[in-house]
């Protein structure tokens, strides 16, 4: 057996590797097929061919933050801003429910227009009307008491990517007003409160090194999240990073497979960013070990405005309304979409 094959076997058996073995795996494409098959084997053992779907509602693109990579950063004056009302959000859920969605993800920029009281009101209204559904929030860094209030109102899942777990890299991607320490504080608070927590990072973000990626894997091992979202960094012209190149699909797929082998039970989405850099990106993500897809349920009129990065797909098969086409594509890849609340399975 050659060296990379041994490394993959070791990772499959032990769910971990020494740093140098991770580096070898990340820097070589020779063993990709073996790696993807090993990840697929593990996902099939635990999740079969099931793919969970989440209806993503991007309810505000106002943001008080100024992350250097993000198209909806505060200083992007050419972004056309919007906010959805509670009624609009509820009607997205109604539409999603009829399409078969049983999880809704409310995502937005960090927008103080929505007070904690408003968020709690939206959350509890959704839970009241759709009592057999799970509600996920993805609205950034908040205080522990705010997170507790949302949880008590009925939100049980929270997505907050750590973006990078290296201090220096974190400062290269964010203005001084933000800190890795606070990001991590948020994630551990969320866990302590009882949320199912999702974290993750961008692949190929400016200045990212292989060592940074190893630190990201180590941080995720420490956090042990239920969900792990990764996608390629994609350049946006109206950001300070306009001249950096986008991340690669190959490395993203390799990382999805590695994450599946480290975290056999995790919910790992095949992300919109992956579908944006390659027309078959999302199918390839599933084959590499991902088991979640998050179609867009935002109203068509605002969908184009939630531009975290350029050319973000939003009107084709990734739109929730195209669920039939998505089902066909997923089936053609050898998997099956499940309309179910889709909780993470637990090791017994
Ligand atoms: N390219 C890819 N992903 C991005 N995100 C933000 N900006 C970009 C970009 N330019 C990701 C971040 C954030 C998530 C909602 O979108 O990781 O957490």
């Amino acid at each position: 057996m050659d060296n990379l094959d041994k490394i993959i076997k070791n990772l499959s058996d032990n769910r971990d590797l020494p740093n140098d073995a991770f580096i070898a795996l990340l820097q070589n494409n020779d063993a990709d097929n073996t790696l993807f098959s090993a990840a697929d084997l593990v996902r099939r053992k635990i999740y079969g061919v099931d793919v969970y779907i989440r209806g993503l509602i991007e309810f505000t693109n106002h943001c008080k933050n100024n992350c250097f990579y993000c198209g909806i950063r505060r200083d992007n004056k050419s972004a056309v801003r919007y906010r959805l009302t509670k009624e609009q959000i509820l009607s997205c859920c109604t539409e999603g429910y009829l399409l078969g969605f049983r999880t809704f993800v409310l995502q937005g920029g960090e927008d103080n227009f929505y007070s904690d009281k408003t968020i709690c009101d939206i959350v509890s209204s959704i839970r009241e009307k759709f009592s057999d559904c799970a509600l996920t929030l993805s609205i950034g860094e908040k205080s522990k008491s705010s997170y507790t209030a949302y949880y008590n109102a009925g939100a049980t899942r929270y997505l907050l990517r750590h973006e990078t777990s290296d201090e220096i890299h974190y400062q290269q991607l964010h203005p001084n007003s933000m800190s890795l320490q606070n990001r991590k504080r948020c994630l551990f608070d969320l866990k302590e409160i009882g949320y199912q927590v999702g974290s993750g990072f961008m692949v190929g973000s400016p200045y990212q090194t292989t060592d940074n990626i190893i630190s990201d894997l180590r941080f995720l091992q420490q956090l042990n999240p239920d969900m792990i979202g990764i996608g390629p960094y994609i350049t946006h012209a109206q950001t300070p990073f306009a001249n950096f190149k986008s991340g690669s699909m190959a490395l993203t797929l390799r990382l999805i497979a590695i994450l599946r082998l480290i975290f056999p039970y995790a919910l790992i989405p095949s992300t919109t960013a992956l579908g944006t850099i390659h027309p078959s990106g999302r199918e390839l993500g599933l084959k590499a070990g991902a088991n979640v897809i998050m179609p867009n349920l935002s109203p068509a009129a605002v969908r184009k405005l939630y531009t975290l990065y350029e050319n973000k797909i939003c009107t084709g098969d990734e739109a929730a309304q195209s669920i039939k086409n998505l089902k066909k594509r997923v089936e053609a890849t050898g998997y099956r979409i499940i309309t179910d609340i889709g909780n993470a399975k637990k090791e017994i």
Side-chain angles (χ1 to χ4, degrees), residues 19 27 30 42 62 69 91 94 107 122 124 129 166 191-192 198-199 218 224 244 271-272 283 309 311 336 345-346:
N19 286 359
Q27 292 183 338
D30 310 348
V42 167
H62 288 257
Y69 47 83
S91 74
T94 304
Q107 186 175 89
I122 295 171
S124 55
K129 218 168 154 199
D166 180 273
K191 270 202 92 163
E192 212 174 283
S199 197
R218 297 296 176 214
N224 194 24
F244 283 88
T271 54
T272 310
E283 284 92 334
Y309 44 81
N311 305 316
R336 180 186 54 188
K345 300 209 192 284
K346 296 265 182 248

Side-chain angles (χ1 to χ4, degrees), residues 69-70 107 161 163 183 202 232-234 273 308-309:
Y69 47 83
C70 185
Q107 186 175 89
R161 289 186 179 176
E163 312 297 0
R183 197 92 179 162
M202 290 174 289
Y233 161 73
I234 302 175
L308 304 178
Y309 44 81

Side-chain angles (χ1 to χ4, degrees), residues 26-94:
L26 287 169
Q27 292 183 338
N28 275 288
N29 57 10
D30 310 348
D32 277 358
N33 287 336
T34 315
L35 177 64
F36 300 159
S37 309
D40 191 51
L41 193 70
V42 167
R43 83 86 88 197
R44 281 174 193 259
K45 238 185 241 164
I46 293 161
Y47 286 100
V49 293
D50 295 356
V51 174
Y52 298 144
I53 49 167
R54 319 302 196 192
L56 181 63
I57 303 167
E58 298 158 332
F59 71 98
T60 170
N61 71 348
H62 288 257
C63 191
K64 68 179 169 66
N65 289 333
N66 233 344
C67 307
F68 302 143
Y69 47 83
C70 185
I72 63 165
R73 65 197 304 272
R74 184 185 66 225
D75 283 354
N76 179 7
K77 302 294 178 213
S78 53
V80 178
R81 307 285 173 173
Y82 72 89
R83 291 186 174 110
L84 300 185
T85 62
K86 175 180 155 186
E87 289 65 37
Q88 286 174 306
I89 295 171
L90 281 167
S91 74
C92 293
C93 296
T94 304

